[in-house]
Amino acid sequence: MKNEIEIINQRDVELLEKTRKINLQKLFTQEGMDAIIREIKNEVADFQAFHASVATKEGRAEIISMAFKIAKCKAPIKNLASELKEESKKLIDGVNSQWNRYEKEMDTLRDEIRKPVDEIEAEEKRILEERQNRLGLIENLRNYIPDSGFQKMSESYAYAIKRAEDLIKFENWGEFQFKAETSFKEIFELLQQRLLGAIKNEEDQAELLQLKKEKEEREKKDREEQIAREAVENARIEAEAREKRIEQEKINAENRAKEAERLRIEQAKIAENNRILAEKKAKEDAEKAVADAIEKERNRVESEKRKEAEALEKREANKKHRAKINNEALDKISDLIINNIALEDGENGEDDCVEIAKLIIEAIARGEVPHVQINY
């Protein structure tokens, strides 16, 4: 193993020396860069021929070291590139292009050589995370709170125990094996105690419920017996009360009959008195009605006489009023006629004019003169 490590170290030196002894004129050309990349790949191929194992820490260390050496091969070429750029600006584009290709090839080669290690480290990381996650889930059950979704608390603790048993069933605990088993044992015993306590509490509760149920049944039976006894007693009391009511009703019926007879006799007497009073009142009312009728007739006659006198008086007053109106109209018409005739003839025809005026007024009063009326 020592000789193999010495050979690997010697090859590391030779690998680096190759990158330092390249002719600058040939290095940054397609041919020159292919040559150095090929040389380094050949060295890597020789290294891989030793079959460094990723299953051991030493083998993984060798692979990581070789990848690191490959990465270090970039620095000399980069330095040469810088020197060459300073010497000739004409080669800048070619140098950059070849350098980028070289760097990409080195990175790819590095990644390829590290890939087995990266894969096993990723797997180890995944396994570690799964171990830590399972252990954390087991530890969380230490403070487990019963789930209200279960009907009984014991069912919830039984579920927690089953959950812990499922989590501990893991074949790849590795260095976490002892800690996981220790935590599981502690938490299993803790949950087992809580489960037993819950079962005991549920049994006690069930027993209390049974005792309570028996007590309620006894009390119910006692109440029913008491109700039956009270019913019998109430029936006896009701029967006695019914007999007393029947007797009292009989007495009350006899008293009502006697009272009815007394009221009948008394009402008969009252009815007779009322009849006598009614006959007397009827006679008085008849006499009064005759007197009222006579008085009413006398008042009617007197009222008719007054009305006739008043009507006559009104007719006389109206006649006088009409005569006054007629005379006023006659005088006015006569004056008009006289004045008109006097103006026309100059003769005295006053009497004839008056007669003419009367005839006119009478015609107007009778309504024989169109468009003329007399207001009385």
Side-chain angles (χ1 to χ4, degrees):
M1 185 64 172
K2 182 178 180 181
N3 293 333
E4 291 179 355
I5 295 173
E6 289 176 354
I7 293 172
I8 292 170
N9 292 337
Q10 180 62 29
R11 285 183 176 174
D12 292 343
V13 174
E14 292 174 356
L15 188 62
L16 294 174
E17 288 300 324
K18 288 181 183 294
T19 63
R20 295 190 182 99
K21 296 177 181 181
I22 299 300
N23 189 324
L24 290 179
Q25 298 298 326
K26 295 182 179 181
L27 175 59
F28 295 104
T29 64
Q30 181 73 31
E31 182 181 357
M33 192 58 68
D34 287 342
I36 190 170
I37 292 172
R38 185 167 53 252
E39 287 292 334
I40 293 173
K41 285 185 175 180
N42 290 337
E43 293 297 330
V44 172
D46 292 340
F47 167 79
Q48 290 176 331
F50 285 100
H51 303 294
S53 176
V54 296
T56 63
K57 291 183 179 180
E58 292 80 2
R60 292 198 292 271
E62 292 173 9
I63 294 172
I64 293 171
S65 176
M66 186 59 181
F68 179 70
K69 294 300 187 297
I70 293 171
K72 286 175 66 178
C73 289
K74 293 191 296 181
I77 302 302
K78 186 176 183 180
N79 293 335
L80 291 175
S82 299
E83 293 174 4
L84 187 59
K85 282 189 289 184
E86 292 175 359
E87 294 174 0
S88 177
K89 295 297 184 180
K90 294 180 181 181
L91 298 176
I92 289 176
D93 292 339
V95 170
N96 288 336
S97 176
Q98 294 304 318
W99 157 245
N100 291 333
R101 188 168 70 88
Y102 175 79
E103 183 180 35
K104 184 177 180 181
E105 290 287 346
M106 294 301 102
D107 289 342
T108 301
L109 195 57
R110 178 203 60 199
D111 293 341
E112 289 179 356
I113 200 68
R114 276 191 60 94
K115 184 176 180 181
V117 176
D118 292 340
E119 290 177 350
I120 196 169
E121 286 181 347
E123 178 64 16
E124 288 176 349
K125 182 180 179 182
R126 185 192 65 77
I127 294 173
L128 177 62
E129 290 176 351
E130 184 173 2
R131 292 169 179 171
Q132 291 174 339
N133 181 54
R134 281 179 172 266
L135 184 59
L137 293 174
I138 292 174
E139 284 293 335
N140 289 340
L141 293 174
R142 192 182 298 275
N143 299 318
Y144 176 76
I145 298 175
D147 190 346
S148 59
F150 292 94
Q151 293 182 351
K152 296 181 179 180
M153 188 178 293
S154 60
E155 294 177 353
S156 181
Y157 280 121
Y159 165 78
I161 292 173
K162 180 64 168 57
R163 175 65 173 156
E165 290 174 342
D166 292 340
L167 289 171
I168 198 64
K169 292 177 182 179
F170 183 54
E171 297 179 354
N172 200 2
W173 280 111
E175 65 272 20
F176 287 83
Q177 184 75 37
F178 176 76
K179 185 175 183 180
E181 291 178 351
T182 302
S183 295
F184 170 75
K185 183 178 180 182
E186 294 175 357
I187 293 170
F188 181 83
E189 292 177 354
L190 178 63
L191 293 175
Q192 192 72 21
Q193 291 175 1
R194 293 178 182 175
L195 173 61
L196 294 175
I199 293 173
K200 180 65 169 59
N201 184 59
E202 290 168 0
E203 290 176 350
D204 292 342
Q205 290 294 326
E207 185 177 355
L208 290 174
L209 289 174
Q210 182 62 28
L211 292 174
K212 182 179 179 182
K213 181 179 180 181
E214 293 175 356
K215 180 182 178 182
E216 290 176 350
E217 290 177 352
R218 287 196 302 273
E219 291 176 349
K220 180 181 178 182
K221 183 178 180 181
D222 293 342
R223 285 195 303 272
E224 291 174 350
E225 292 177 352
Q226 179 65 26
I227 291 171
R229 288 193 297 272
E230 291 176 356
V232 172
E233 180 65 16
N234 291 336
R236 183 187 63 79
I237 294 172
E238 179 64 22
E240 293 178 354
R242 186 166 54 254
E243 291 177 0
K244 290 181 180 180
R245 283 197 304 272
I246 293 171
E247 183 66 23
Q248 186 63 41
E249 287 175 358
K250 182 178 179 182
I251 294 172
N252 292 338
E254 292 176 355
N255 292 335
R256 285 194 298 272
K258 293 178 180 179
E259 180 66 14
E261 181 63 18
R262 184 186 67 77
L263 290 174
R264 186 188 66 76
I265 295 171
E266 184 175 346
Q267 289 175 355
K269 291 180 180 179
I270 293 172
E272 181 63 20
N273 292 332
N274 290 338
R275 185 186 64 77
I276 294 171
L277 292 174
E279 289 178 353
K280 181 178 179 182
K281 186 175 184 305
K283 182 178 179 181
E284 292 175 352
D285 291 342
E287 293 174 352
K288 185 176 182 302
V290 171
D292 291 343
I294 294 171
E295 180 66 18
K296 183 177 180 180
E297 179 63 19
R298 183 179 63 78
N299 291 335
R300 185 186 67 76
V301 172
E302 291 179 355
S303 176
E304 288 180 353
K305 289 180 179 180
R306 284 196 302 273
K307 289 179 179 179
E308 290 178 358
E310 291 174 354
L312 180 61
E313 185 178 353
K314 287 181 179 180
R315 286 194 298 273
E316 290 296 328
N318 185 48
K319 184 177 180 181
K320 292 178 179 179
H321 175 69
R322 290 170 64 89
K324 180 175 178 296
I325 296 300
N326 292 341
N327 289 330
E328 289 177 352
L330 176 62
D331 292 341
K332 182 64 176 177
I333 293 172
S334 296
D335 290 339
L336 293 173
I337 294 173
I338 293 170
N339 291 333
N340 290 333
I341 293 174
L343 290 173
E344 292 176 359
D345 298 333
E347 297 180 355
N348 187 10
E350 184 177 351
D351 293 336
D352 293 333
C353 290
V354 170
E355 290 299 324
I356 293 171
K358 286 182 179 180
L359 294 174
I360 293 171
I361 292 301
E362 290 174 356
I364 292 170
R366 290 193 301 271
E368 296 176 355
V369 179
H371 309 296
V372 177
Q373 65 179 4
I374 298 174
N375 294 322
Y376 295 100

